[in-house]
Amino acid sequence: ILLSSSSSSSSSRPMLYVIILLCAITIIGAVSNVEKSTGVKFPDNINGLDLLGVGVRKKGPLKVYALGLYSTPPPPTPLKSLFQTLLSSPKSTLLLSLTFSSVTGPKMASALSSSLSTRYPSPSKVTELSGVITTGASTSKIGKGALFQFDCSADSVSVTINGKEAGEVNGKGIGTAFCGIYLDEKGVSKGLKEDLKENWGE
């Protein structure tokens, strides 16, 4: 915008120019890395994958664990196809942080394998994954704050517990099925899905 003024009494008086520059400022919203109901803070990225959203897994009134989903950020996606887009990601990581002190390794293995069994057709692979979780947890301190990390590709799930690699299970579609525990229409964390909708849906 250019504003000018001059004195009517003296045409030789220099004109005063006031230049106002208007700058557009774009504010880019960042994904919150804190699960608000538990106060658990997640790292912004893991193994080159970005945090896309956080949530909590409840069992009745109990908050069993907070969780974060890591993957390659999708473009803004229509809500009706958002979760299918996320399930199709080549690589995803789910990080679970226990918030209920009475949870044990075998209980985590049992709960996750039960959820997986309704989504994956091979009982032997589900049992294998349960064994990996149980064995890995037996060599690590499990309680409030314990971390269960699941690195998924379409056909594999790699398990890390408290930073220690526990093992890997391979099977066609098993990684996608595992992510489906949280991302399909019956996903067990409503909070995670709502956070993903807010961050990436349009």
Side-chain angles (χ1 to χ4, degrees), residues 33-42 54-58 61-68 96-100 144-145:
N33 64 352
V34 177
E35 200 293 304
K36 293 181 181 179
S37 72
T38 59
V40 174
K41 184 176 181 179
F42 290 88
V54 297
V56 64
R57 172 64 165 121
K58 295 181 179 180
L62 300 176
K63 297 169 185 175
V64 182
Y65 56 82
L67 68 149
L96 282 50
S97 176
L98 294 186
T99 55
F100 186 58
K144 189 174 182 179

Side-chain angles (χ1 to χ4, degrees), residues 24-200:
I25 301 175
T26 301
I27 301 176
I28 302 175
V31 174
S32 173
N33 64 352
V34 177
E35 200 293 304
K36 293 181 181 179
S37 72
T38 59
V40 174
K41 184 176 181 179
F42 290 88
D44 292 325
N45 54 72
I46 293 177
N47 296 332
L49 301 176
D50 294 329
L51 179 65
L52 302 188
V54 297
V56 64
R57 172 64 165 121
K58 295 181 179 180
K59 198 70 172 177
L62 300 176
K63 297 169 185 175
V64 182
Y65 56 82
L67 68 149
L69 173 69
Y70 295 79
S71 193
T72 301
T77 304
L79 290 178
K80 64 180 181 180
S81 58
L82 174 62
F83 298 112
Q84 187 56 50
T85 297
L86 292 172
L87 281 170
S88 300
S89 298
K91 291 184 179 180
S92 298
T93 289
L94 285 153
L95 184 61
L96 282 50
S97 176
L98 294 186
T99 55
F100 186 58
S101 58
S102 295
V103 176
T104 64
K107 285 182 179 179
M108 280 292 288
S110 176
L112 291 170
S113 61
S114 177
S115 294
L116 182 60
S117 67
T118 63
R119 295 169 168 86
Y120 195 65
S122 173
S124 64
K125 291 295 182 181
V126 173
T127 299
E128 184 180 351
L129 181 60
S130 179
V132 168
I133 298 170
T134 299
T135 301
S138 69
T139 62
S140 186
K141 183 178 180 180
I142 303 303
K144 189 174 182 179
L147 296 175
F148 289 74
Q149 179 176 324
F150 299 90
D151 300 309
C152 303
S153 65
D155 302 327
S156 70
V157 179
S158 179
V159 183
T160 302
I161 300 175
N162 288 334
K164 183 178 180 181
E165 293 182 4
E168 180 176 292
V169 177
N170 297 285
K172 186 172 178 58
I174 193 170
T176 302
F178 188 89
C179 289
I181 295 173
Y182 303 96
L183 296 177
D184 68 18
E185 60 184 12
K186 295 182 179 180
V188 300
S189 176
K190 180 180 179 181
L192 174 64
K193 295 183 75 173
E194 290 298 322
D195 198 41
L196 292 169
K197 287 179 182 179
E198 182 177 338
N199 294 336
W200 307 104

